[in-house]
Amino acid sequence: MSTENLPQSPGRPPRKPRVAVVFGGRSSEHGISVVTAGAVLRAIDRTKYDVLPIGIAQDGRWMLTADEPDRMAIVDRRQPSVEQLAETTDGGVLLPVDPANREVVYSEPGSVPKALGEVDVVFPVLHGPYGEDGTLQGLLELSGVPYVGSGVLASAVGQDKDYMKRVFTSFGLKVGPYLVIRPREWEQDQEGARRRIAEFAAEHGWPLFIKPARAGSSFGITKVDSFEGLDEAIEEARRHDPKIIVEALLRGREIECGVLEFEDGPRASAPAEIPPVQSHDFYDFEAKYIDSASGIVPAPLTEEQTAEVRRLAVAAFDAASCEGLVRADFFLTEDGEFVINEINTMPGFTPISMYPRMWQESGVSYPELVDLLVQAALRRPTGLR
């Protein structure tokens, strides 16, 4: 969509597309979403786009927030929040539900609703449930508003590690051994669930990784080396999601690859390697965001390995019907085979995050990356496609 296709007022110069950057949210990744939004707000070309920051508080309220990227950072190991940035906590932002009307409204109790103007595209930088999982995408489809990133189905599949692995397997992509414990099973038959885990451990060995099935940023993940601590690990995972997934340890190198949608289709970036983090058992939240563990870009792979992981990353993107962007995470096993671990349909997106760094290595700067994603969203229709 170009500016000449946008609604114009007679006698006025063509207006710029208006981008609503939506961030925060109800998931445990609220703070990381705020950090990501700060980076996007800092990078987006204000000569090309009008920008409207909208924060979703941890209780689900939509708020007008300050357009102040410098306040959206981790300080002294403390994550920022939408509540800290809200211009007021009394009112709320309302999206249109009529596809013929894209005007956003701000409403306060006892006051006449205030029109904030039309929104041409939403850049949702939400991570985790209630944002990255297809819920927001469904709302935007109902509203007829274009948005950055994958649609409802791909977002839901990309959030749920259980169904993600099922989709990948059906398309011939290799995944590691895993076991799913559903909410009813744990709530009604814990002994039976423990027996299933014991059988899984007997077949695949310890350690095991106990994870929430639908969370990100390594929240709620515990590495367990024996039955001691298993129940505690399960309860920690269930704090984030009542459905959990148990994964066997895959011995090998952790390799990541970014996928970006261009006009002629998706392309893969230079891959990166996540080296072992000596101060952490695995690449957990603290290692990713607090202690600044850095990946190696580009990954030290052979030309054949680089070509293969890039091919597999695009195959994963297509298998889940993704759009816009994806970070695909793999293990390169000791026998030289790539096994896909997961995809992220809205990966960590600060300038030091792996996805932007991989594209920087591939010749796409952070501001260019933001622009390409907005342009892809403006080209794409809402609805069935």
Side-chain angles (χ1 to χ4, degrees):
M1 181 186 294
S2 61
T3 54
E4 60 263 24
N5 295 325
L6 297 172
Q8 308 294 340
S9 299
R12 293 185 180 181
R15 71 175 180 85
K16 296 179 286 188
R18 198 157 194 236
V19 181
V21 179
V22 179
F23 61 96
R26 294 163 56 189
S27 82
S28 52
E29 297 177 82
H30 177 99
I32 296 306
S33 174
V34 177
V35 174
T36 299
V40 171
L41 289 171
R42 190 177 291 109
I44 196 166
D45 187 349
R46 304 304 179 102
T47 67
K48 191 172 183 178
Y49 304 107
D50 286 328
V51 180
L52 176 66
I54 298 176
I56 302 178
Q58 289 164 310
D59 62 5
R61 288 176 297 156
W62 290 50
M63 299 177 169
L64 277 181
T65 63
D67 186 1
E68 299 178 15
D70 289 343
R71 293 173 57 196
M72 302 178 181
I74 295 174
V75 179
D76 296 329
R77 307 177 80 88
R78 292 193 302 271
Q79 299 178 50
S81 71
V82 165
E83 288 82 352
Q84 295 168 356
L85 298 159
E87 294 186 352
T88 174
T89 59
D90 294 331
V93 176
L94 304 175
L95 280 184
V97 292
D98 178 2
N101 173 24
R102 293 182 180 174
E103 191 163 73
V104 175
V105 172
Y106 179 74
S107 177
E108 284 186 325
S111 300
V112 176
K114 175 185 176 183
L116 299 177
E118 293 190 350
V119 166
D120 300 296
V121 62
V122 170
F123 199 135
V125 290
L126 295 144
H127 302 302
Y130 312 110
E132 189 183 349
D133 60 349
T135 50
L136 177 66
Q137 290 74 15
L139 174 63
L140 296 173
E141 292 286 351
L142 288 172
S143 302
V145 180
Y147 53 92
V148 169
S150 290
V152 176
L153 174 65
S155 297
V157 168
Q159 188 63 42
D160 191 315
K161 295 177 177 65
D162 174 14
Y163 286 97
M164 183 196 308
K165 292 175 187 291
R166 294 171 186 264
V167 168
F168 289 156
T169 301
S170 72
F171 276 82
L173 297 167
K174 184 163 184 179
V175 304
Y178 72 99
L179 173 71
V180 176
I181 304 294
R182 299 179 183 277
R184 188 185 310 155
E185 180 179 5
W186 183 252
E187 291 159 7
Q188 297 182 0
D189 186 14
Q190 292 188 11
E191 286 305 316
R194 292 189 189 96
R195 280 196 300 273
R196 290 184 62 212
I197 295 173
E199 292 166 0
F200 183 81
E203 181 178 359
H204 300 290
W206 300 91
L208 301 177
F209 290 90
I210 313 299
K211 303 180 177 182
R214 295 163 291 192
S217 291
S218 299
F219 280 113
I221 299 178
T222 306
K223 178 183 176 185
V224 292
D225 296 303
S226 67
F227 280 108
E228 184 179 350
L230 178 62
D231 281 10
E232 184 179 351
I234 290 172
E235 291 305 327
E236 171 59 19
R238 281 172 52 82
R239 285 200 313 111
H240 300 270
D241 185 352
K243 181 166 79 167
I244 67 168
I245 190 164
V246 180
E247 293 180 350
L249 173 68
L250 286 177
R251 300 189 185 281
R253 298 161 62 188
E254 292 188 47
I255 306 294
E256 298 183 348
C257 191
V259 180
L260 178 63
E261 180 183 359
F262 291 81
E263 287 194 60
D264 60 352
R267 302 181 203 167
S269 70
E273 180 169 5
I274 306 301
V277 184
Q278 301 302 322
S279 58
H280 298 265
D281 270 349
F282 58 95
Y283 196 46
D284 60 7
F285 175 84
E286 292 277 321
K288 287 179 180 178
Y289 299 109
I290 303 297
D291 294 339
S292 301
S294 57
I296 302 169
V297 186
L301 301 170
T302 66
E303 288 186 14
E304 292 77 12
Q305 289 171 329
T306 296
E308 177 66 0
V309 75
R310 294 179 70 191
R311 181 189 73 80
L312 290 171
V314 172
F317 183 96
D318 288 336
S321 299
C322 295
E323 295 167 295
L325 72 164
V326 149
R327 192 192 73 229
D329 300 347
F330 298 86
F331 290 103
L332 177 56
T333 62
E334 293 174 340
D335 60 4
E337 184 175 32
F338 283 104
V339 176
I340 189 162
N341 183 37
E342 64 180 16
I343 58 171
N344 279 267
T345 56
M346 183 50 69
F349 205 78
T350 69
I352 63 169
S353 297
M354 296 311 301
Y355 183 86
R357 288 182 59 200
M358 288 187 286
W359 279 108
Q360 180 75 46
E361 177 66 26
S362 306
V364 180
S365 70
Y366 191 89
E368 290 172 330
L369 189 56
V370 170
D371 185 63
L372 284 168
L373 288 168
V374 172
Q375 289 298 317
L378 286 168
R379 286 195 305 270
R380 189 187 312 129
T382 54
L384 298 178
R385 52 190 182 273

